Amino acid sequence: MNMWKGAIEDAMQKIKQNIVKHPGKLPHITEGQQYEWGENNDWIEGFYVGMMWLAYEYGQDPFYKEAAESYLANFKDRLDRHVALDHHDIGFLYSLSAVAQWRVTGSDTARAVALQAADTLLARWRPHMEIIQAWGQADDPENGGRIIIDCLLNLPLLFWAHEQTGDAKYYDVAMKHALQSQKFLVRGDGSSYHTFYFDVNNGQAIRGGTHQGYQDGSTWTRGQAWGIYGFALAYRYTKHEAFLDTAKHLARYFIRHMAADAVVYWDFDVPVEESTPRDSSASAIAACGLLELLELIEDRDPDRLLFEDALHRSMKALVEHYSTMDLPDAEGLLKHGSYHVRGDRAPDDYMIWGDYFYLEALVRLEQGIKGYWYEV
Ligand code: GLY
């Protein structure tokens, strides 16, 4: 059995174990190498359901399909009651649950839930700044004019809604937000700000900053990874060449600054000591971004070998040194992810999005199965 296949088999087993052990529940940010199981009220619940869809597509075992489908009513109810949706991560939540279900099964119900989610995300559009507001209400004094780089992975839900309905409003918002993100979050050397502030009164750009990174001018590794994958996806949908260039620019920076073992620390600018936390989830997201880029760039692109080499080194390191293949009872797939090191929240633990992107990369490497960010 090759390395990817062995890792996938192990992941399938763990996903099944979790489904059986925690029926109807969803994993939350964890501490102590044990997921906390709860309700659908954070930004991360879609990843768990997305893993079930990947597992189903990989092995065609109906167990995973039935488990994934059983969550749709819950995701619909969350939208209807607007539970903890005062943020932009509606794309993360619904691309991997409702869009995924529609894509795999053709369910009209799932399609309708996904379109309802796209409308909910659209309500966060702030036209005078040409941004989708990341967090809080429009009149929030701290966050009213704030974007974060993570939002690039929320845009596929809007691009998808445009394809489905033909309504240009979804495309225009996603395109304009991507352009603002490119202009203000990406720096000249290919590094990135985690967040950027605009003036809610006159729409003027104010400054870059961070929320989960080491300090305002530093490069939070997960943010950089969201940027690689997010701009590649924006290019896939729009064919706007500059998005592809930006994704490549971010990828080269990421690769140049990877640690010697090809897995990143939590921030590229943090002083590294023995106890400095890693973020395996950032490396898993970047691997998915590189897989996407490798499909989008020309065969003779000068970056092809660099990207291929980095992808394989990172994935090999994740499987061999960060996976829980040596821990059959573990709930997570990847050790040493970090959520919010500076805020002292889960600095070294399982991250459900790390698990999702690790599995997405593995099944793409092994069987060409893609995630649920666009129609294939
Ligand atoms: N999107 C939030 C995070 O990456 O932690």
Side-chain angles (χ1 to χ4, degrees):
M1 195 183 291
N2 74 34
M3 187 191 298
W4 309 145
K5 216 172 177 147
I8 295 168
E9 296 296 335
D10 180 72
M12 305 264 282
Q13 175 59 27
K14 286 185 170 122
I15 296 166
K16 193 170 264 184
Q17 233 163 243
N18 286 338
I19 294 169
V20 171
K21 226 165 104 191
H22 307 283
K25 296 288 182 200
L26 292 151
H28 280 211
I29 310 265
T30 180
E31 306 258 2
Q33 273 69 42
Q34 202 79 28
Y35 279 126
E36 253 180 54
W37 296 85
E39 304 308 315
N40 196 346
N41 57 14
D42 202 345
W43 66 278
I44 58 175
E45 287 78 3
F47 297 112
Y48 183 52
V49 180
M51 286 165 70
M52 296 175 197
W53 284 118
L54 292 175
Y56 172 65
E57 288 209 89
Y58 181 77
Q60 299 293 308
D61 178 347
F63 174 86
Y64 298 102
K65 174 172 172 277
E66 281 158 27
E69 284 174 332
S70 74
Y71 283 94
L72 186 67
N74 178 306
F75 276 78
K76 160 87 173 130
D77 178 65
R78 181 169 177 182
L79 275 178
D80 289 344
R81 295 191 299 115
H82 206 79
V83 176
L85 288 179
D86 211 4
H87 59 77
H88 61 168
D89 285 329
I90 295 158
F92 280 120
L93 288 165
Y94 288 88
S95 291
L96 301 181
S97 55
V99 175
Q101 181 162 336
W102 168 80
R103 246 194 52 199
V104 180
T105 70
S107 157
D108 287 336
T109 315
R111 179 180 178 275
V113 173
L115 288 173
Q116 186 182 345
D119 285 334
T120 306
L121 177 55
L122 213 57
R124 302 193 64 77
W125 173 241
R126 307 288 177 251
H128 61 301
M129 297 176 276
E130 300 203 315
I131 62 165
I132 294 169
Q133 182 185 338
W135 299 316
Q137 313 248 1
D139 61 0
D140 184 311
E142 162 79 0
N143 296 312
R146 193 169 187 186
I147 59 171
I148 66 172
I149 197 163
D150 322 28
C151 190
L152 288 157
L153 269 287
N154 291 316
L155 303 184
L157 179 65
L158 297 179
F159 285 126
W160 172 84
H162 168 248
E163 283 181 353
Q164 288 297 308
T165 62
D167 191 331
K169 71 184 176 200
Y170 300 107
Y171 184 97
D172 290 346
V173 163
M175 179 70 177
K176 285 178 179 154
H177 182 88
L179 287 168
Q180 290 289 72
S181 300
Q182 183 184 42
K183 186 165 172 192
F184 294 107
L185 289 169
V186 180
R187 296 186 288 241
D189 62 352
S191 66
S192 57
Y193 285 118
H194 180 200
T195 105
F196 200 93
Y197 295 88
F198 296 83
D199 187 320
V200 286
N201 298 311
N202 59 22
Q204 295 294 301
I206 303 176
R207 69 172 178 91
T210 196
H211 177 63
Q212 279 148 284
Y214 174 56
Q215 58 191 22
D216 274 347
S218 73
T219 300
W220 180 50
T221 50
R222 190 156 72 248
Q224 186 83 7
W226 292 136
I228 297 169
Y229 201 5
F231 281 112
L233 291 169
Y235 171 72
R236 157 112 28 208
Y237 274 107
T238 63
K239 295 291 170 284
H240 181 61
E241 283 286 336
F243 290 153
L244 185 61
D245 292 342
T246 295
K248 290 171 63 183
H249 201 29
L250 291 165
R252 285 190 295 266
Y253 188 95
F254 192 98
I255 293 166
R256 266 202 315 279
H257 293 83
M258 290 192 312
D261 74 348
V263 173
V264 295
Y265 289 92
W266 67 283
D267 190 292
F268 285 125
D269 296 289
V270 71
V272 172
E273 299 163 5
E274 211 171 313
S275 60
T276 304
R278 299 287 188 148
D279 186 6
S280 57
S281 76
S283 287
I285 297 160
C288 291
L290 291 174
L291 277 159
E292 183 63 21
L293 276 174
L294 284 165
E295 212 172 291
L296 294 171
I297 60 178
E298 303 282 336
D299 285 349
R300 280 180 298 175
D301 189 294
D303 288 321
R304 176 166 290 281
L305 288 180
L306 175 76
F307 292 171
E308 276 174 357
D309 173 68
L311 168 67
H312 283 91
R313 282 194 297 126
S314 295
M315 285 305 294
K316 186 168 181 292
L318 289 178
V319 171
E320 287 182 344
H321 304 297
Y322 291 78
S323 83
T324 56
M325 287 176 76
D326 57 334
L327 301 169
D329 294 329
E331 295 191 332
L333 304 185
L334 271 191
K335 301 178 243 185
H336 307 307
S338 55
Y339 178 48
H340 190 351
V341 177
R342 207 159 46 96
D344 200 24
R345 280 197 71 192
D348 180 12
D349 228 303
Y350 304 141
M351 303 293 136
I352 192 66
W353 56 89
D355 293 355
Y356 171 82
F357 286 101
Y358 169 68
L359 185 60
E360 187 188 296
L362 285 170
V363 297
R364 191 162 178 172
L365 281 164
E366 178 58 23
Q367 252 188 28
I369 296 168
K370 296 185 184 175
Y372 303 105
W373 310 104
Y374 54 90
E375 203 173 345
V376 289

